[in-house]
Amino acid sequence: MMRKLRPAPLCRSWLFLEGANEDVLQHAAASGADVLIHELEDFTPPPLRPKARALAAELYAAWRDQGVMVAVRVNPLDQDGMDDLAAVMRGRPDIVALPKVAEPHHVVRLDEAVTRFERDYGIAEGSTSLLPNIEFARGLVQTGAIAMASRRVIGCLMASEDLAADLGAERGSDGLELAYARQRFIVECRAADVVAVDCPYTWSDAEGVERDTIWARGLGYTAKSLVDPAHASIVNGVLTPSEEEMRQAGRIVAAFEAARTKGLGRVELDGSLLEVPTYSNAKRLIARGEALRAIDRDVRA
């Protein structure tokens, strides 16, 4: 029986996987990642791309049956991307990601191609979502326009290695060289009302990915991309409100609502003055925590 899928706004971990590595692909769902991305670009050398494409239909059906969101990252359309789409669209991916998006017209062209394949393959038109990948400075400063170039765009994903290379920045595990880019990226995505998928932590240490995800969450991120399956549970844990956080948010809501019934505009709790924005954030945290717990139960059922 096909399991219920997690809505994109509730997807926390977005895992890139080698496109032709059958062993990795077959066991990917066990990582616990919310989105599995069949990676046909950098993780799949050109000679292996025909093999990767041939795996798509059966692979995507298996992933979907295990309750994960199915995504594929094709190559740029002026390279191997059209050949990728012609094959992988037969597997009906939930999301098509496009790398190296620097201009809105790149998304428009992808939308047109996906629409054509949906019609050719009898897929419900408009059912395939798009995830532009921002990897250059030129794309970063146009993220808002890129996100709004198609109604299919449900989010944008910020790459780390290519963006750092484009900036001429020196990569470090503390990520300081990309701090401004990550701050700007989430502002652009939020303004366009799409999911902001944070860049991956490309080192292997568990402490580092936890620290990096906590920092991203502090900025407002609710989703992060990964390149290591072992990081999925860590990212999910950080991006899921804890029981203590839910309890504290409940106290804030209760205190503020009690003050409102007395005609007060704000109230003090634990030495902090609670106003409407704090109250609204607490309500959002509770709603997100409850939604994540509900969908986790459905996916496990």
Side-chain angles (χ1 to χ4, degrees):
M1 180 177 66
M2 184 177 293
R3 297 184 179 181
K4 185 175 180 179
L5 295 180
R6 185 183 303 271
L10 294 179
C11 291
R12 301 153 296 186
S13 46
W14 301 59
L15 176 60
F16 285 100
L17 296 153
E18 300 170 63
N21 189 326
E22 294 186 64
D23 184 60
V24 167
L25 296 170
Q26 289 171 3
H27 293 91
S31 68
D34 296 333
V35 183
L36 300 180
I37 306 174
H38 189 207
E39 215 301 68
L40 303 185
E41 193 212 10
D42 290 346
F43 286 13
T44 306
L48 293 180
R49 285 174 188 161
K51 175 185 177 181
R53 295 170 190 144
L55 296 173
E58 185 175 339
L59 175 67
Y60 299 173
W63 282 353
R64 195 172 288 109
D65 284 346
Q66 294 175 83
V68 296
M69 185 78 79
V70 176
V72 57
R73 183 162 79 170
V74 300
N75 284 274
L77 299 187
D78 57 358
Q79 298 177 23
D80 285 352
M82 285 298 186
D83 290 338
D84 292 338
L85 281 174
V88 302
M89 284 298 294
R90 295 183 185 277
R92 301 171 182 253
D94 301 306
I95 302 169
V96 173
L98 184 68
K100 299 178 173 57
V101 175
E103 305 284 349
H105 70 79
H106 293 157
V107 177
V108 173
R109 187 181 176 201
L110 178 62
D111 185 326
E112 293 170 347
V114 167
T115 298
R116 185 168 65 253
F117 285 116
E118 283 178 341
R119 291 171 180 166
D120 290 346
Y121 299 158
I123 301 169
E125 189 167 334
S127 61
T128 310
S129 299
L130 304 183
L131 182 75
N133 289 192
I134 307 301
E135 307 189 39
F136 302 128
R138 179 67 178 167
L140 178 64
V141 300
Q142 297 192 92
T143 297
I146 287 168
M148 293 186 286
S150 166
R151 292 181 180 180
R152 293 179 182 270
V153 174
I154 48 88
C156 293
L157 184 150
M158 197 184 88
S160 51
E161 308 312 306
D162 282 293
L163 181 57
D166 190 48
L167 296 173
E170 297 181 4
R171 289 289 279 134
S173 60
D174 59 11
L176 289 178
E177 71 285 351
L178 294 179
Y180 166 73
R182 291 165 75 183
Q183 291 168 332
R184 174 161 184 164
F185 181 72
I186 192 169
V187 171
E188 297 269 351
C189 290
R190 187 75 71 210
D193 195 26
V194 300
V195 176
V197 184
D198 189 32
C199 58
Y201 180 80
T202 53
W203 286 263
S204 61
D205 60 303
E207 296 82 4
V209 71
E210 182 176 28
R211 181 179 63 248
D212 192 62
T213 309
I214 290 171
W215 188 83
R217 177 178 166 172
L219 295 180
Y221 281 97
T222 59
K224 187 171 183 62
S225 57
L226 326 168
V227 294
D228 186 341
H231 291 171
S233 62
I234 299 170
V235 169
N236 286 346
V238 172
L239 297 182
T240 301
S242 69
E243 294 296 337
E244 174 57 26
E245 289 167 335
M246 294 279 282
R247 186 190 69 81
Q248 180 62 16
R251 291 183 66 228
I252 291 171
V253 169
F256 188 85
E257 290 180 349
R260 275 296 174 91
T261 63
K262 299 175 183 177
L264 302 176
R266 61 181 183 173
V267 66
E268 182 176 332
L269 179 68
D270 300 333
S272 177
L273 287 175
L274 308 181
E275 298 182 355
V276 173
T278 307
Y279 168 70
S280 299
N281 276 340
K283 289 188 70 176
R284 278 194 291 268
L285 184 144
I286 292 170
R288 181 171 181 81
E290 290 176 344
L292 285 169
R293 283 160 174 75
I295 197 70
D296 281 342
R297 288 194 297 269
D298 288 340
V299 168
R300 289 194 299 266

